[in-house]
Each structure stands twice: as C-alpha cells, then as structure tokens.
Amino acid sequence: DGGITQSPKYLFRKEGQNVTLSCEQNLNHDAMYWYRQDPGQGLRLIYYSQIVNDFQKGDIAEGYSVSREKKESFPLTVTSAQKNPTAFYLCASSMEGTSPLHFGNGTRLTVT
Amino acid sequence: GQQLNQSPQSMFIQEGEDVSMNCTSSSIFNTWLWYKQDPGEGPVLLIALYKAGELTSNGRLTAQFGITRKDSFLNISASIPSDVGIYFCAGQLGGATNKLIFGTGTLLAVQP
C-alpha cells in the first residue's frame, strides 16, 4: 500500500534537546511538507521541499531544520531554539502542480 | 502566516441533520480543498475543487468553489455518528510552490 509513514507516533523529550521526526513516503511524490498543528488552530507550514536537495522555509521555520537527501524521506529536526515545541506535527506529500496534499498520521511531540 | 476564516468553529447536531460550513478569504485561490481529521490522525482529503463555480459531490458531501474564488462551502447531508471530527478547508494560491493555506477548522459532534 502506498502512503506516508511518520514515526514515532508519540515522542517525549527534555527541554534543550534536539529531536528528529521521521517522514517517509512511497507514493513517488516530488514535493513534501511539514506542518505544525496546535489546539484550536489550523495547520501552519514549517518547511517544504519540491525536489531532492532543495527546500524552502514556510511560515514558522524558526527553530526547525530539514533535509531532503532522498525523494522518499523528509526528516524534520526540532531544535532547542524552538521556544514552544510541544505540538502535533504532520508530514504531507504531493505531486507537482496543483495536486492535493496527502498527509501522514502525525507525530505528537511533548517537550518538558 | 495567513489563515482562512472558517465557520462555524464547532457544531453539535443530532444524527440525520444536515450540516453546512464555509471558508472565506481576502485572497483569490486557484484550488479549494476540504479535509477531515479524526482525533490523533492526519487529515484525509474529502473533496478537491479546481474551477470557480464548481460544485462537486462525494457521497453525502457536497462542496462548492465560490464564483469570486475567495470562498467555499461544504455541506454534509443526513449526518451519521462517524461524521464526527474536525473539518478543514484549504486554499491553494497556485504558482510553482503548491502551498496550501488552511482554515482554523470546524469541530463537528453528532449525537446518535
């Protein structure tokens, strides 16, 4: 079955630690995205990548970093510089152009 | 970051009732998408709209792309308990980036 896999489902970290969230897709999609979701808010774009070895900042990129070394993979690192990292993180992918985004099932990160 | 105005924020209805929700924006969009999100899961695409004035159905769901390209609505007819969840609209600005702008979501609760 084709799809987007995010792991782990739940992640707990101490404040001051960097943490990397995994996102893998086997849909052969060119573009991949990371969104953050907080209660009562819509999804906010962190980073996106339209092609391997290239990515752009979204609306809330500060405190995050990404890499796109392979078409299938787009890991997100939440750094200690992110002031409020506790949130639900969603990865998505799409073909080029105007095709809709397809989402993974998310990773809930809790930082204490 | 830009977000769409989505209303209502929440709806509590009886099984069998019809539901209507809408999104408005100050920006013109090339594409409107409607997603449903179950608790702890990623959003799932319900309907995609690509042309101003387009009216599209998916089972009991009907969505329309507003003529002005600044709004869209979603109707659910004869609601059932499994319709419970958060519904998001998303507008796509078009161009090369394929970025989506999300609404703040409508929480739907259906009482059997």
Side-chain angles (χ1 to χ4, degrees), chain A residues 11 15 17 28 34-35 47 49 60 73 82 88 95 105:
Chain A
L11 194 52
E15 192 174 324
Q17 293 179 334
N28 199 33
W34 275 104
Y35 284 87
Y47 267 98
S49 168
I60 55 166
S73 179
Q82 169 50 236
F88 190 49
M95 297 295 287
N105 278 332

Side-chain angles (χ1 to χ4, degrees), chain B residues 73-110:
Chain B
F73 72 75
L74 174 71
N75 287 342
I76 305 173
S77 63
S79 58
I80 59 178
S82 62
D83 289 335
V84 166
I86 302 177
Y87 291 79
F88 290 99
C89 63
Q92 186 173 40
L93 295 168
T97 63
N98 203 26
K99 284 176 60 176
L100 289 184
I101 309 298
F102 280 85
T104 50
T106 295
L107 172 65
L108 177 63
V110 180

Side-chain angles (χ1 to χ4, degrees), chain A residues 33 35 43 90 92-94 98-104, chain B residues 6 21 23 31-38 42-48 50 61 63 74 76 83 85-92 98 100-103 105-106:
Chain A
Y33 310 79
Y35 284 87
L43 281 67
L90 287 160
S93 69
S94 72
T98 59
S99 60
L101 271 63
H102 295 269
F103 286 88
Chain B
Q6 185 171 349
M21 59 192 79
C23 278
T31 302
W32 281 95
L33 305 171
W34 284 92
Y35 289 87
K36 182 192 177 203
Q37 185 178 29
D38 292 326
V44 174
L45 181 67
L46 298 174
I47 292 179
Y50 299 104
L61 277 61
L74 174 71
I76 305 173
D83 289 335
I86 302 177
Y87 291 79
F88 290 99
C89 63
Q92 186 173 40
N98 203 26
L100 289 184
I101 309 298
F102 280 85
T106 295

Side-chain angles (χ1 to χ4, degrees), chain A residues 27-90:
Chain A
L27 299 168
N28 199 33
H29 284 173
D30 296 301
M32 297 186 74
Y33 310 79
W34 275 104
Y35 284 87
R36 171 183 172 134
Q37 186 174 31
D38 294 286
Q41 297 197 37
L43 281 67
R44 293 183 291 167
L45 182 63
I46 305 173
Y47 267 98
Y48 64 101
S49 168
Q50 295 177 272
I51 195 169
V52 174
N53 292 323
D54 188 46
F55 48 83
Q56 285 78 41
K57 292 181 179 180
D59 299 318
I60 55 166
E62 185 175 350
Y64 299 98
S65 66
V66 294
S67 63
R68 187 87 186 275
E69 297 177 1
K70 299 186 300 181
K71 187 175 184 178
E72 304 79 21
S73 179
F74 192 40
L76 173 74
T77 296
V78 184
T79 75
S80 57
Q82 169 50 236
K83 299 303 180 189
N84 186 19
T86 295
F88 190 49
Y89 291 88
L90 287 160

